């Protein structure tokens, strides 16, 4: 895929610099997106506007170990080796940090680059070193490449869709495990005579994802009080009659794009309190989804979810910024090469555009009751959105 | 685990600064090690020497979403919320980048910190913002925390050992799949009537690792010409009579520590060339291992492997820095919270110390022949090393 980098060109023009630079491994999504090269260790990428015709030239500087693969696989117009710029000699003479910066400076000089924009999270050691070597380095506080990444092509949406299909298979496996669980006298769920734990359900999800070509960093399977903390991954035996939040965010191994979905399951009988919270969360989901369309802002969508919760008397971070119960996170985020990326559905979220792939994920949390969250993933279209999630919204299973 | 931070104290004293700071997610091993807190999004950690008695105080600044968990789980003496330092107001007034830096500066002021050391890869946007807010920010080009991390406690070695046990189970599953494969008329390996692919073997490895409590980022299963590129992960059908390099580096999910091991398998009959290269690589492994002891340097161990290859007439990066065949990588690296960390077994590698956990992984590469690599993981002891790897070194399987 060749990304449309015209927004980046404009940003560089506006900043009056020659190039945009990255120094990161491909685990950093901007690096993977811009270079089109997947490497486990950091390498240097320069997108330079120094060609006489003004077209952008993409150049990468890699170790000898990555050179052959970078020539074959990267999007770069030019691939160079560290050894081409006397990296080892420079490190020998000036030490690792200064030697590396001098190597990069020589590479940039070769491209005719005298000044560069870098993202907020560019390494300060390299930035300071480039500055000492005479290269102007400005920080792009707005992260223009992440904004470019936020708008997906049809091909990228297909990557997310494939990850989401695997996600649904994995969630189905988890649901079946919980639905089919036995219940011990003390209320603990059981599977094949053993307590059914968060870890066991996570394992089932992760194995299913692997069988469907996906990897993942973490899975959340959190029951009871664990689920009242949205970032708690859950541990130990699960119980009947408690809400179990399952949040799965796999990465398709081939494309590296993610999906993200949450359902809350309960085996047994929900209390009125849990049932009310679940129904209200489904209502908040529907309200937030109804607000998704081009031109609406992430703030609008977040407000729609907050409205539902506040009307029912639950605190939100909008009504009480320090609350630790109620609706204590934002309503969603972009999904792509990163699980969490732009745009944000939060009080500062800007305008939605066609091609934005976003989660919508309201939830309610209270250690005394447990947690409830329902999360769909959708793509913003010309006239609203398409829901990429095809999974029932049902609390009680089995 | 409470790390011994006396080396960090000394570094801060020598630099004449008040604190060491990190701004990263826990995927950054220094952050996980220092804060003891596992969070998916970046947060700010300050290790300050400003207490009247000179003892270090560890403080973390997290979002409201992480506050409860950080109080419970982190090693920090003090946990603060972004909202405690008017983060949202500051971002509203000054924008994301400057607002964040001003929030951090207020947090540091509260700790009595006027100047800080940060690692090379600390985000330049935050560093520049702190400097603008009057905080002195110097770069620790030597990454003192990575040096502290390199020396493992017995508990950390046990974490690696557990990951390595899972690793061996996974490699055994891969070996069985290849050993039991059929061979089609064109030489393709088959399994249950289908071609046996790199992807299928990787899946078996990864599922086995999950069943043993490990996750992993990538697996290398590369046969034939794929294996001649040490970073190629391999794809497509595997064949009889070709060397298949399998390099597995799982992370124990509970401890977050890694292991790393490589074996090269061949189903069928090796050519004399492959057999010679395999035997030579085993000889290089033994020579390199024999060089591992406290006081020896990473450079010594690397030289021992290079000596074996060069004596047999193969190029190495030492004899020819631009060679693309022969021995084209370093001899090993530290393993811990990162798969690749200090110490390096390379031409610049420094002295080995008891507690260093390192790989030793010589290999030979040539697209015309294929690749061969054998990798063990060992811990440096008071009088040599203990090999944490318990897996046969045998080329032909089945």
């Amino acid at each position: 895929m060749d990304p449309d980098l015209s927004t980046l060109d404009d940003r560089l023009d506006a900043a009056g610099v020659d190039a945009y630079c990255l120094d990161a491994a491909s685990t950093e999504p901007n690096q993977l997106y811009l270079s089109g090269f997947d490497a486990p260790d950091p390498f240097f990428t320069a997108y330079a506007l120094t060609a006489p015709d003004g077209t952008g030239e993409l150049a990468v500087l890699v170790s000898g170990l990555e050179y052959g693969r970078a020539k074959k696989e990267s999007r770069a117009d030019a691939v160079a080796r560290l050894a081409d710029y006397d990296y080892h000699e420079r490190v020998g003479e000036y030490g690792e940090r200064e030697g590396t910066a001098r190597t990069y400076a020589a590479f940039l000089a070769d491209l005719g680059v005298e000044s560069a924009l870098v993202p907020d999270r560019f390494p300060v050691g390299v930035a300071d070193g480039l500055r000492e070597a005479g290269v102007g380095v400005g920080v792009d506080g707005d992260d223009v490449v992440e904004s470019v990444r936020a708008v997906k092509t049809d091909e990228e949406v297909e990557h997310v869709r494939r990850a989401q299909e695997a996600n649904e298979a994995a969630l189905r496996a988890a649901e079946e495990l919980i639905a089919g669980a036995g219940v011990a006298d003390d209320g603990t769920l059981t599977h094949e005579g053993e307590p059914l734990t968060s870890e066991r359900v996570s394992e089932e999800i992760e194995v299913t994802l692997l069988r469907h070509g996906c990897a993942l960093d973490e899975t959340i399977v959190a029951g009871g009080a664990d689920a009242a903390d949205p970032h708690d991954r859950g541990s130990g035996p699960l119980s009947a009659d408690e809400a179990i939040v399952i949040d799965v965010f796999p990465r398709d191994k081939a494309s590296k794009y993610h999906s993200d979905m949450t359902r809350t399951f309960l085996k047994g009988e929900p209390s009125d309190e849990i049932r009310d919270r679940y129904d209200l969360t489904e209502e908040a989901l529907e309200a937030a989804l109804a607000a998704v369309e081009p031109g609406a802002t992430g703030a609008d969508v977040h407000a729609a979810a907050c409205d539902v919760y506040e009307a029912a008397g639950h605190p939100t971070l909008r009504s009480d910024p320090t609350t630790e119960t109620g609706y204590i996170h934002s309503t969603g985020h972009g999904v792509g090469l990163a699980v969490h990326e732009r745009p944000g559905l939060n009080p500062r979220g800007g305008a939605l555009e066609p091609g934005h792939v976003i989660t919508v994920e309201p939830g309610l949390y209270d250690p005394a009751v447990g947690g409830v969250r329902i999360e769909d993933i959708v793509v913003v279209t010309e006239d609203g959105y398409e829901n990429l999630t095809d999974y029932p919204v049902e609390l009680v299973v089995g």
Side-chain angles (χ1 to χ4, degrees), chain A residues 21-24 42 104 118-130 137:
Chain A
C21 295
L22 292 171
D23 178 3
Y104 292 170
V118 300
D120 192 57
R121 301 197 77 80
F122 187 90
V124 62
V126 178
D128 281 2
L130 286 174
V137 177

Side-chain angles (χ1 to χ4, degrees), chain A residues 47-330:
Chain A
Y47 175 76
L49 291 185
T50 45
D53 65 354
T55 56
E57 186 189 6
L58 188 72
V60 300
L61 181 63
V62 299
S63 73
L65 194 57
E66 300 290 14
Y67 184 59
R69 219 162 50 79
K71 279 192 293 186
K72 272 192 294 186
E73 297 175 12
S74 83
R75 291 183 50 250
D77 302 299
V79 176
R81 268 176 297 211
L82 290 169
D84 298 336
Y85 293 93
D86 303 325
Y87 170 72
H88 295 288
E89 294 79 352
R90 291 183 202 272
V91 167
E93 186 167 353
Y94 299 105
E96 178 96 23
R97 194 190 137 218
E98 188 178 343
T100 301
R102 282 174 179 259
T103 305
Y104 292 170
F107 171 70
L108 291 174
D110 226 22
L111 293 168
V113 170
E114 294 175 359
S115 59
L117 209 58
V118 300
D120 192 57
R121 301 197 77 80
F122 187 90
V124 62
V126 178
D128 281 2
L130 286 174
R131 288 164 176 164
E132 284 156 24
V135 179
V137 177
V139 175
D140 173 30
D142 187 40
D143 202 338
V144 58
V145 176
E146 193 179 348
S147 294
V148 173
R149 282 203 290 117
V151 179
K152 270 70 177 175
T153 63
D154 291 347
E155 185 185 345
E156 291 175 288
V157 173
E158 286 310 307
H159 294 329
V160 174
R161 203 188 296 272
R162 198 150 46 234
Q164 176 57 16
E165 285 166 7
N167 206 354
E168 289 165 13
L171 198 66
R172 211 164 289 124
E175 180 178 343
E176 282 168 13
L177 211 49
I178 294 169
V183 180
D185 290 346
D186 66 353
T188 304
L189 296 185
T190 61
H191 175 72
E192 295 176 353
E194 299 285 320
L196 181 62
T197 60
S198 292
E199 291 85 350
R200 181 66 188 80
V201 177
S202 291
E203 186 182 308
E204 203 60 31
I205 289 169
E206 293 171 8
V207 167
T208 306
L209 289 171
L210 277 176
R211 298 290 189 200
H212 285 77
C214 281
L216 76 175
D217 294 326
E218 295 288 349
T219 305
I220 294 173
V221 178
D226 281 358
D229 180 338
H231 274 194
D232 193 316
R233 291 181 198 109
S235 61
L238 298 165
S239 294
D241 309 333
E242 73 178 9
I244 303 168
V245 173
I246 304 189
D247 188 345
V248 189
F249 32 97
R251 182 179 74 251
D252 183 81
K253 288 171 93 167
S255 72
K256 310 283 178 189
Y257 282 77
H258 293 76
S259 190
D260 193 356
M261 161 170 67
T262 305
R263 288 294 182 266
T264 301
F265 296 136
L266 183 146
K267 167 88 177 179
E269 281 296 321
S271 65
D272 290 346
E273 182 65 43
I274 291 178
R275 167 57 69 190
D276 288 349
R277 284 168 175 249
Y278 189 87
D279 292 345
L280 194 62
T281 297
E282 186 171 0
E283 192 184 323
L285 173 70
E286 283 163 9
L289 284 172
V292 174
E293 61 181 351
T297 64
D300 295 336
V301 179
H302 181 58
C306 290
D307 288 347
V308 170
Y309 285 133
E310 289 173 20
H314 290 282
T316 71
L317 288 178
R318 182 176 74 175
S319 65
D320 174 4
T322 65
T323 184
E324 295 181 26
T325 62
Y327 185 38
I328 54 178
H329 54 69
S330 66

